Amino acid sequence: MSDFLSDKTKIIVSNVIDNDAEFIPLLSPEDEEKMNKEELPDDIGILPLRNNVLFPGVVMPITVGRDRSIKLIQDAYNNKKQIAVVSQKDSSLEEPEYKDLHEIGTVAQIIKLLKMPDGSSTAIIQGKQRCKLESVVSEDPFIVAKVSTFKDIENTENANRMSALFESLKDMALQIIKQSPHIPTESSFAIKNIESTSFMVNFISSHMQAEVAEKQQLLAEQNLVSRAEHLLKHLSKELQMLELKNDIQTKVKVDLDKQQREYFLHQQMKEIQNELGENPVQREVAEMREKATKKKWKTKVADTFGKELDKLSRMNPQGAEYGVQLNYLQLLLDLPWGVYTKDKFDLKKAQAILDRDHSGLEKVKERIIEYLAVLKLKGNMKSPILCLYGPPGVGKTSLGKSVAEAIGRKYVRMSLGGVHDEAEIRGHRKTYIGAMPGRVINNLKKAGSDNPVFVLDEIDKVGRSNHGDPSSALLEVLDPEQNSHFNDNYVELDYDLSKIMFIATANDLSTIQPALRDRMEIIEVNGYTVEEKVQIAENHLIPKQLKEHGLGKEHITIAPEVLEKVIEEYTGESGVRGLEKRIAKLVRYRAKQIALEESYDIAIAATDLVIIFGPSHGKSKYETNDVTGVVTGLAWTRVGGDILFIECSLTKGKGKLTLTGNLGDVMKESAVIALEYLKANADYIGMKEEDFDERNVHIHVPEGATPKDGPSAGITMLTALASRFTDRKVKKNLAMTGEITLRGQVLPVGGIKEKILAAKRANIKEIILCEKNRKDVEDINPKYLTGLTFHYVKEMKEVLDLALV
């Protein structure tokens, strides 16, 4: 407690903090005068207050949680220093600076400091006198500023008028305490015992229900009479609100009695309606029963619906179960039991639609046409479950919409990315609160037919959690032998999914559960060639972007050679998403020119690309093999094909092999096999086996930050080692890919189309492949292979003969 407070002014007001009864001191005029005469320190720590304002003479508990505030409070309490408490201008700021504080605050003394269980501190502080912030001294570890005294202006008002004003304030405060159920009656005892007029204004201002801004306005008012008048206006408004609130509560009580009366009347009305046969529940049941007669469902479904409808008619409409039962029956009526759209069997038109919407993707189109052909001849068959697998941006998802249009079916898309709850697929039991059917059943309800084209997007990104494994729930959905009797937990009846054409999309087959992958027909969707990308850009991407940006063909044209330059030098992908972003940038550039009324040429020139996009990454990453031990390999990545370099160096040593470049275990094993093969066949390359034991070998694959793995770099590593040991260079513009064995055989690898496209982009002229990869090359359109020479090998000796100069 403050030392100068007289015993007669210490009035108990039950304010319990952490089980300690605190005493709020009520100042007398003498106490206040003594407090105002105290000298302020030159520099004083500033405590920002978020949601309140401290007034002189008032005791207030403040919970401090911010690091800077805790340091300030502890320093001031331990050293018995005064602090200045100033409200923030913006209460949302977590770490306010000096400029974020109001100009007027209150100098305060910390009476007591309490440690709270959650690590914060609660300080009991008492306001001393108002102060004005002059300038900041420092802001670390807490704000320290220079302050000056902010005293009241001398009052020239009539003494009787002032007395009447302060009596009015006291009376109105007592009325508010009496009217409000939340203010303890001890507060009126405190109000009656306050002797100082200015402290009474401060005391009421501090405890009134008002916004921080309004309290701050009162604190900053220098004229005591003006401050009292402003406070009186607020109290008058607060008293009116309290009276209105109490009046409303009285009326609500009367309305509640009225509701009870209306309940009994409704019950009587219900009995009368039952007698007259006009019950609304019975009318709703009759309507649902009539709708059921038009449904094409099986006997078991019809019987179940009838039993559940009879149960609904016996339920109390006011009960919680009634809504659950009604929603269930409504779902059964909304599902398209046995409703099928008629397939279009015009195969030429279907082929034209598929070709119009998607360039390339020949395998997928061929599979769809095959399905339609069999369906046309047979009339009925189980729909295929296709999985389109390939890099992002090649059109897997959008293909489903084209297929739906081509065969005249409804289109449904269900994104599975991030789904980790089995109930998302199979639904919840009806007994749970908020139960819903699974997304398969929900999408069929939206489609309105039992044979839509159903796209399961990103099936490789299904998650697992403690709520179950959604990919296991999909086993039943995607099994042609089981999905004719799919059982949703909510529907609790077998539903036929066998007529649905499921098209799943995936970027990575390795993350799909093997049992689920086995149920689908995997169709690989390869990346596009440069020629295909140009065609896609002209037919689809440019018209789409012109429409989205409000431009027409008269505003911008992009020549094929410019598009080819954008593709080769500003994108490095298998799909066309990056290309679409680049085209959008070109269109936006033209839109800006038009909006700024600048002059421009309609055609985008190749020289404009550097201005719009900046410097390119170059058409080719290929590096001429001017030194021995460097070989170009072909790699497959999730975004398409790429080229990589294998580098080899030799130093004097004892035959140690070092591998760097963030390589996986399989790739490291390929390097070991290559070195062991060369040791075993040293005479073939003109060396002795002892020569290998006198040198240390270091193999490095550049771009060390990128993880690399797989066996397809085997022949590349073999060639690099042989080149370095024999000091023979590798043929220029040559690349290779293939797995090797200790016996000297070359094995086939995957991703051939992507690798060949990458080689062509990099200006490679010759490619070495395994003989068994010949069929993969033959599947590629010959026009995309122009300028490339392929060498097919069976043994590693053939690789060395072809590669080394």
Side-chain angles (χ1 to χ4, degrees):
M1 287 299 173
S2 301
D3 295 331
F4 59 81
L5 292 175
S6 59
D7 293 333
K8 66 173 185 175
T9 61
K10 295 180 180 177
I11 309 297
I12 298 176
V13 178
S14 55
N15 186 18
V16 179
I17 299 173
D18 274 358
N19 301 321
D20 290 337
E22 294 296 332
F23 299 90
I24 294 183
L26 304 180
L27 298 187
S28 67
E30 296 80 19
D31 298 330
E32 191 173 16
E33 184 179 354
K34 189 175 180 180
M35 182 184 287
N36 288 331
K37 288 181 179 178
E38 287 184 358
E39 289 289 329
L40 296 183
D42 292 335
D43 299 338
I44 191 167
I46 307 296
L47 175 65
L49 207 57
R50 193 198 296 265
N51 292 313
N52 212 338
V53 177
L54 178 66
F55 287 80
V58 177
V59 172
M60 177 188 293
I62 297 177
T63 300
V64 183
R66 296 186 278 210
D67 290 340
R68 298 204 315 183
S69 299
I70 291 172
K71 290 175 183 176
L72 170 61
I73 290 292
Q74 288 175 343
D75 178 69
Y77 185 72
N78 293 336
N79 299 304
K80 296 184 178 180
K81 293 181 183 177
Q82 292 183 337
I83 61 171
V85 180
V86 186
S87 297
Q88 298 176 201
K89 295 176 183 177
D90 184 0
S91 62
S92 64
L93 291 177
E94 196 60 38
E95 293 294 339
E97 298 175 359
Y98 177 82
K99 61 182 175 60
D100 301 317
L101 304 177
H102 285 289
E103 191 179 25
I104 307 301
T106 304
V107 175
Q109 186 76 38
I110 302 172
I111 298 172
K112 190 169 184 179
L113 186 62
L114 305 171
K115 293 286 185 182
M116 308 306 285
D118 60 355
S120 63
S121 299
T122 296
I124 312 300
I125 62 174
Q126 181 182 33
K128 295 281 189 178
Q129 54 181 302
R130 290 181 298 165
C131 65
K132 182 178 180 181
L133 301 187
E134 296 295 342
S135 61
V136 64
V137 175
S138 68
E139 294 199 41
D140 187 60
F142 45 78
I143 302 172
V144 177
K146 291 186 180 297
V147 298
S148 62
T149 305
F150 189 75
K151 295 186 179 296
D152 284 340
I153 297 174
E154 290 293 326
N155 292 310
T156 58
E157 296 285 338
N158 183 288
N160 291 332
R161 185 177 182 277
M162 287 179 62
S163 178
L165 177 62
F166 293 119
E167 283 299 321
S168 299
L169 267 178
K170 184 179 289 189
D171 291 342
M172 197 162 288
L174 292 172
Q175 286 184 57
I176 289 173
I177 292 169
K178 186 177 179 182
Q179 293 272 3
S180 176
H182 305 296
I183 303 177
T185 54
E186 290 85 355
S187 300
S188 60
F189 184 68
I191 295 285
K192 290 175 184 176
N193 283 276
I194 293 177
E195 298 173 5
S196 168
T197 52
S198 60
F199 176 64
M200 184 178 69
V201 173
N202 290 337
F203 185 87
I204 296 172
S205 300
S206 178
H207 293 89
M208 71 179 185
Q209 296 291 325
E211 296 291 333
V212 173
E214 190 167 357
K215 289 187 176 183
Q216 181 64 34
Q217 188 179 350
L218 284 170
L219 182 69
E221 176 59 60
Q222 280 189 284
N223 191 307
L224 180 61
V225 175
S226 299
R227 203 185 319 155
E229 287 175 344
H230 186 98
L231 178 60
L232 190 62
K233 287 179 184 177
H234 178 83
L235 292 182
S236 177
K237 181 180 176 183
E238 187 173 341
L239 182 60
Q240 291 177 41
M241 292 295 291
L242 273 171
E243 289 173 347
L244 183 61
K245 185 177 177 182
N246 291 336
D247 186 44
I248 290 170
Q249 287 177 346
T250 305
K251 287 182 179 179
V252 167
K253 186 177 180 182
V254 175
D255 289 342
L256 187 61
D257 295 335
K258 185 181 176 183
Q259 282 181 358
Q260 292 174 340
R261 180 170 169 271
E262 285 177 352
Y263 173 78
F264 290 116
L265 288 174
H266 279 303
Q267 288 298 107
Q268 290 176 353
M269 189 181 294
K270 182 179 176 182
E271 291 301 322
I272 294 169
Q273 287 173 342
N274 285 336
E275 291 294 327
L276 297 174
E278 296 177 358
N279 192 320
V281 175
Q282 290 182 351
R283 186 165 60 247
E284 189 172 29
V285 169
E287 289 174 359
M288 295 175 77
R289 203 180 298 277
E290 185 180 352
K291 286 182 183 177
T293 58
K294 301 174 184 177
K295 303 296 289 185
K296 301 176 183 177
W297 45 30
K298 297 178 182 177
T299 307
K300 184 178 179 181
V301 180
D303 291 345
T304 302
F305 181 83
K307 289 176 183 176
E308 296 295 327
L309 192 60
D310 291 340
K311 189 190 295 184
L312 179 75
S313 64
R314 294 192 297 271
M315 284 183 174
N316 180 5
Q318 307 298 327
E321 288 292 322
Y322 183 85
V324 175
Q325 187 73 1
L326 182 63
N327 289 338
Y328 173 67
L329 292 170
Q330 200 64 54
L331 174 72
L332 293 184
L333 286 173
D334 290 342
L335 284 172
W337 301 90
V339 176
Y340 303 105
T341 54
K342 192 174 181 181
D343 291 328
K344 296 176 184 176
F345 294 121
D346 188 343
L347 302 189
K348 291 183 179 178
K349 185 178 179 182
Q351 182 73 54
I353 291 172
L354 293 173
D355 291 337
R356 177 199 71 194
D357 293 344
H358 291 83
S359 299
L361 308 181
E362 302 302 333
K363 288 183 180 179
V364 189
K365 296 176 187 175
E366 183 182 351
R367 182 65 184 87
I368 301 302
I369 297 301
E370 286 173 359
Y371 169 71
L372 282 177
V374 175
L375 195 61
K376 182 177 181 179
L377 297 175
K378 186 171 182 261
N380 184 24
M381 66 176 293
K382 289 181 179 178
S383 290
I385 295 168
L386 309 177
C387 179
L388 307 183
Y389 150 65
V394 294
K396 302 185 296 297
T397 303
S398 60
L399 187 72
K401 193 174 286 187
S402 301
V403 171
E405 184 184 350
I407 65 179
R409 291 190 180 186
K410 298 288 183 68
Y411 169 73
V412 174
R413 175 182 167 272
M414 187 170 92
S415 178
L416 294 173
V419 172
H420 57 80
D421 189 349
E422 180 191 341
E424 291 279 340
I425 309 298
R426 215 188 282 272
H428 307 82
R429 297 283 178 195
K430 291 202 305 290
T431 51
Y432 296 119
I433 296 171
M436 294 187 302
R439 291 167 69 176
V440 175
I441 293 294
N442 256 336
N443 280 300
L444 285 177
K445 185 180 83 170
K446 291 177 186 175
S449 81
D450 270 349
N451 63 337
V453 173
F454 204 119
V455 175
L456 299 169
D457 209 10
E458 309 290 1
I459 199 170
D460 58 326
K461 296 175 182 65
V462 174
R464 295 184 68 176
S465 73
N466 57 334
H467 296 291
D469 181 9
S471 61
S472 297
L474 283 169
L475 294 176
E476 183 183 4
V477 176
L478 299 181
D479 191 337
E481 300 302 321
Q482 297 180 43
N483 63 7
S484 57
H485 297 87
F486 173 68
N487 193 282
D488 186 277
N489 290 330
Y490 185 85
V491 178
E492 293 180 339
L493 292 165
D494 289 344
Y495 202 91
D496 187 4
L497 306 180
S498 62
K499 302 297 188 293
I500 300 172
M501 178 182 281
F502 287 104
I503 299 179
T505 70
N507 301 127
D508 186 3
L509 290 180
S510 64
T511 60
I512 302 176
Q513 191 182 113
L516 183 60
R517 187 168 67 236
D518 184 59
R519 283 161 167 76
M520 299 185 290
E521 184 178 338
I522 306 295
I523 298 178
E524 188 173 357
V525 182
N526 295 311
Y528 297 114
T529 62
V530 174
E531 293 83 357
E532 287 174 334
K533 287 183 179 180
V534 170
Q535 192 176 351
I536 291 168
E538 290 178 334
N539 297 338
H540 303 286
L541 304 182
I542 295 176
K544 177 185 174 184
Q545 291 302 323
L546 288 176
K547 183 179 178 182
E548 288 186 0
H549 291 84
L551 301 183
K553 294 180 179 178
E554 67 276 9
H555 296 116
I556 182 172
T557 58
I558 308 173
E561 57 270 17
V562 176
L563 283 173
E564 192 170 327
K565 187 176 179 68
V566 172
I567 292 164
E568 291 180 338
E569 298 187 21
Y570 290 96
T571 64
E573 55 175 355
S574 294
V576 291
R577 282 206 184 102
L579 175 59
E580 184 173 11
K581 291 172 187 173
R582 292 294 185 180
I583 291 172
K585 174 73 174 172
L586 293 175
V587 176
R588 288 197 302 273
Y589 179 77
R590 179 52 44 81
K592 185 187 75 171
Q593 288 179 318
I594 295 170
L596 295 174
E597 299 181 356
E598 298 175 355
S599 60
Y600 61 88
D601 293 327
I602 294 177
I604 295 285
T607 53
D608 295 333
L609 299 182
V610 178
I611 300 171
I612 299 170
F613 298 139
S616 71
H617 56 62
K619 181 178 178 180
S620 169
K621 291 197 303 180
Y622 175 72
E623 300 171 6
T624 55
N625 298 352
D626 293 330
V627 295
T628 59
V630 180
V631 185
T632 306
L634 299 176
W636 179 91
T637 68
R638 292 190 179 187
V639 294
D642 200 359
I643 65 170
L644 54 80
F645 300 98
I646 307 292
E647 301 175 349
C648 178
S649 68
L650 300 178
T651 55
K652 288 184 179 181
K654 297 181 180 180
K656 180 184 176 184
L657 174 63
T658 304
L659 302 170
T660 55
N662 204 347
L663 310 183
D665 291 339
V666 178
M667 203 166 183
K668 290 176 181 177
E669 290 168 359
S670 296
V672 174
I673 292 170
L675 184 59
E676 291 301 320
Y677 176 80
L678 286 178
K679 288 180 181 179
N681 296 273
D683 56 336
Y684 185 78
I685 59 173
M687 295 184 69
K688 298 179 180 178
E689 190 173 344
E690 296 78 33
D691 295 338
F692 292 93
D693 298 330
E694 297 171 357
R695 299 179 189 178
N696 289 337
V697 181
H698 188 159
I699 297 177
H700 177 67
V701 184
E703 297 185 20
T706 307
K708 311 166 193 74
D709 202 5
S712 60
I715 63 172
T716 317
M717 288 181 168
L718 172 75
T719 308
L721 287 167
S723 168
R724 191 68 193 88
F725 274 109
T726 59
D727 208 24
R728 294 165 63 187
K729 294 182 182 178
V730 178
K731 189 185 294 185
K732 290 186 178 180
N733 299 106
L734 172 74
M736 59 187 72
T737 182
E739 184 180 353
I740 57 176
T741 70
L742 276 175
R743 292 178 293 163
Q745 292 183 324
V746 179
L747 302 181
V749 291
I752 294 300
K753 182 179 179 182
E754 281 81 2
K755 292 176 179 178
I756 290 174
L757 296 180
K760 195 172 182 184
R761 287 197 298 268
N763 206 26
I764 298 292
K765 303 298 182 187
E766 298 180 55
I767 298 176
I768 298 177
L769 297 170
C770 173
E771 175 65 37
K772 293 182 180 178
N773 281 127
R774 185 190 293 269
K775 65 182 188 314
D776 297 307
V777 178
E778 292 172 352
D779 286 341
I780 302 171
N781 195 322
K783 68 179 181 179
Y784 300 142
L785 305 178
T786 54
L788 291 175
T789 303
F790 294 93
H791 302 284
Y792 300 103
V793 298
K794 293 181 180 178
E795 294 186 356
M796 298 200 288
K797 291 179 180 179
E798 298 176 57
V799 176
L800 300 180
D801 292 340
L802 288 166
L804 299 181
V805 175

